[in-house]
């Protein structure tokens, strides 16, 4: 397979890059000075693209690669891949579901605890020496808080199970009611927001879910409500989120994703009721290695004419 051209869309995980280089003729798009010229020169050599949550395969890239056969995403999300164009051209698409579910769900719970119990602020309080001048302020209990989950897929269910361990009543909204779940279903995001203390965004990013968390939803959640976003940044109307937090119309937020990564609204930096993470939901050695192995496994299966491990298209 050493002669098969694989295009890596952006820097990802060193192990993945090294393993791809061992097996394929690896091209690194981010190191190219002239993208258009590079694609023109190598378009007939590249048969696979490896992308992630930051960079994938849009229509322009797909059209520039006439020999492209498969896009293997180092991510569970597919919003950076033009799935319609892939279907049109018969290009296979894979992602990395399941292996990152636990880490992302763990992080969602960690964000809930960090926001309500002000863990980051407490840490700074100790480090700055303020504890010597007096005790830290009281915070808010997490156990027993009602948790509403937007998107009850693999990750949503994993979050729900963890929340139950904290005696949290769980409800959800998704496109359709899930017949095999015990959690309460609400037929709209607004109804979900009206009936929970913590709203967790865990759905896929589509045109329908872009800015699904808007001003009306935020105001319905209210000044004691908390938003946790471990989905995608564009799920939330970010300017509306910022203004609600600054004005006190929303109680707090725990964010791992943002609308224009890696840029984060600076207004959030001074807010102690907000916990900000740099999109690290799946960011453990164990999970990223498993994800990389899945990407490589899908590529090898495709080029050996075997069934794909995690086919999407």
């Amino acid at each position: 397979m050493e002669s098969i051209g694989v295009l890596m869309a952006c820097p990802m995980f060193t192990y993945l890059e090294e393993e791809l280089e061992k097996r394929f003729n690896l091209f690194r798009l981010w190191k190219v000075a002239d993208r258009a010229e590079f694609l023109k020169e190598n378009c007939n050599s590249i048969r696979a693209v490896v992308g992630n949550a930051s960079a994938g395969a849009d229509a322009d890239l797909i059209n520039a690669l006439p020999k492209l056969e498969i896009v293997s995403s180092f991510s569970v999300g597919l919003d950076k891949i033009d799935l319609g164009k892939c279907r049109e051209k018969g290009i296979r698409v894979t992602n990395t579901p399941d292996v990152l579910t636990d880490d992302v769900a763990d992080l969602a719970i960690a964000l809930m605890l960090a926001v309500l119990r002000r863990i980051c602020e407490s840490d700074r309080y100790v480090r700055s020496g303020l504890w010597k001048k007096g005790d830290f302020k009281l915070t808010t209990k997490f156990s027993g808080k009602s948790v509403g989950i937007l998107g009850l897929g693999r990750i949503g269910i994993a979050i729900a199970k963890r929340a139950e361990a904290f005696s949290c009543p769980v409800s959800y909204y998704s496109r359709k009611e899930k017949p095999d779940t015990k959690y309460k279903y609400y037929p709209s995001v607004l109804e979900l927001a009206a009936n929970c203390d913590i709203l967790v965004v865990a759905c896929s990013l589509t045109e329908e879910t872009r800015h699904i968390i808007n001003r009306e939803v935020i105001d319905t959640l209210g000044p004691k409500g908390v938003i946790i976003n471990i989905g995608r940044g564009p799920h939330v109307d970010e300017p509306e989120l910022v203004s609600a937090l600054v004005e006190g119309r929303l109680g707090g937020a725990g964010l791992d994703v943002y609308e224009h990564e890696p840029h984060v609204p600076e207004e959030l930096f001074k807010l102690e009721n907000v916990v900000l993470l740099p999109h690290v939901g799946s960011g453990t050695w164990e999970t990223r290695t498993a994800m990389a192995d899945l990407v490589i496994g899908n590529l090898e299966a495709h080029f050996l004419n075997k069934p794909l491990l995690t086919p999407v298209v």
Side-chain angles (χ1 to χ4, degrees):
M1 293 188 193
E2 292 84 356
S3 63
I4 296 172
V6 174
L7 178 65
M8 205 170 185
C10 65
M12 298 176 202
F13 181 39
T14 302
Y15 167 77
L16 173 60
E17 190 174 338
E18 290 172 348
E19 293 301 310
L20 287 171
E21 193 159 38
K22 289 178 186 176
R23 293 166 171 78
F24 303 100
N25 179 20
L26 184 62
F27 298 93
R28 298 168 174 82
L29 189 57
W30 69 95
K31 292 189 175 181
V32 171
D34 187 328
R35 176 182 167 123
E37 186 62 29
F38 165 81
L39 292 175
K40 184 178 179 181
E41 289 179 4
N42 296 281
C43 63
N44 291 315
S45 301
I46 296 170
R47 297 170 60 189
V49 169
V50 173
N52 66 1
S54 301
D58 58 16
D60 289 340
L61 182 61
I62 292 169
N63 287 331
L65 300 173
K67 303 296 184 181
L68 183 62
E69 300 173 24
I70 182 170
V71 179
S72 189
S73 182
F74 183 61
S75 167
V76 70
L78 299 162
D79 48 287
K80 297 297 183 180
I81 301 172
D82 191 323
L83 296 178
K85 182 63 71 173
C86 288
R87 291 189 182 97
E88 176 189 319
K89 290 182 170 286
I91 296 166
R92 304 304 306 272
V93 177
T94 65
N95 63 348
T96 58
D98 298 321
V99 293
L100 51 67
T101 298
D102 284 339
D103 274 348
V104 177
D106 289 350
L107 199 75
I109 297 296
L111 281 169
M112 296 180 210
L113 284 163
V115 173
L116 269 65
R117 297 302 308 270
R118 300 292 179 93
I119 291 174
C120 299
E121 186 182 357
S122 297
D123 177 83
R124 289 191 291 271
Y125 193 83
V126 174
R127 291 173 189 269
S128 65
L130 288 174
W131 192 17
K132 297 173 183 176
K133 300 178 181 179
D135 291 340
F136 189 70
K137 63 190 177 186
L138 297 180
T139 59
T140 301
K141 184 177 181 177
F142 170 52
S143 292
K145 289 290 186 292
S146 56
V147 174
I149 301 174
L150 175 53
L152 202 68
R154 296 179 184 89
I155 293 172
I157 289 171
I159 293 168
K161 289 178 178 177
R162 285 158 172 75
E164 283 185 289
F166 289 87
S167 303
C168 295
V170 175
S171 56
Y172 74 100
Y173 164 76
S174 61
R175 285 174 295 179
K176 296 179 181 178
E177 186 172 359
K178 308 284 184 179
D180 53 348
T181 181
K182 60 185 176 181
Y183 307 120
K184 183 172 178 57
Y185 173 74
Y186 287 102
S188 73
V189 183
L190 278 177
E191 288 179 75
L192 181 67
N195 288 280
C196 68
D197 301 308
I198 303 167
L199 181 61
V200 185
V201 184
C203 57
S204 299
L205 180 62
T206 65
E207 283 307 310
E208 290 74 25
T209 61
R210 187 177 296 273
H211 284 192
I212 192 168
I213 306 300
N214 54 25
R215 185 185 181 102
E216 190 175 8
V217 172
I218 292 169
D219 284 346
T220 300
L221 196 56
K224 291 186 178 180
V226 171
I227 287 176
I228 304 294
N229 191 2
I230 45 81
R232 286 288 185 266
H235 281 130
V236 178
D237 186 332
E238 204 163 76
E240 288 292 351
L241 176 68
V242 171
S243 64
L245 288 164
V246 170
E247 295 166 13
R249 290 185 288 108
L250 181 66
L255 309 173
D256 185 44
V257 291
Y258 310 88
E259 195 157 7
H260 305 290
E261 296 177 8
H263 303 287
V264 179
E266 293 186 6
E267 298 96 320
L268 298 178
F269 295 168
K270 297 179 181 179
L271 300 179
E272 296 291 2
N273 58 339
V274 178
V275 176
L276 307 171
L277 302 180
H279 201 155
V280 292
S282 63
T284 65
W285 287 107
E286 297 89 343
T287 290
R288 291 286 169 89
T289 300
M291 290 168 63
D293 288 341
L294 202 46
V295 168
I296 294 161
N298 275 309
L299 291 175
E300 289 182 330
H302 174 76
F303 291 115
L304 291 172
N305 293 314
K306 295 181 178 180
L308 298 178
L309 304 179
T310 54
V312 177
V313 175

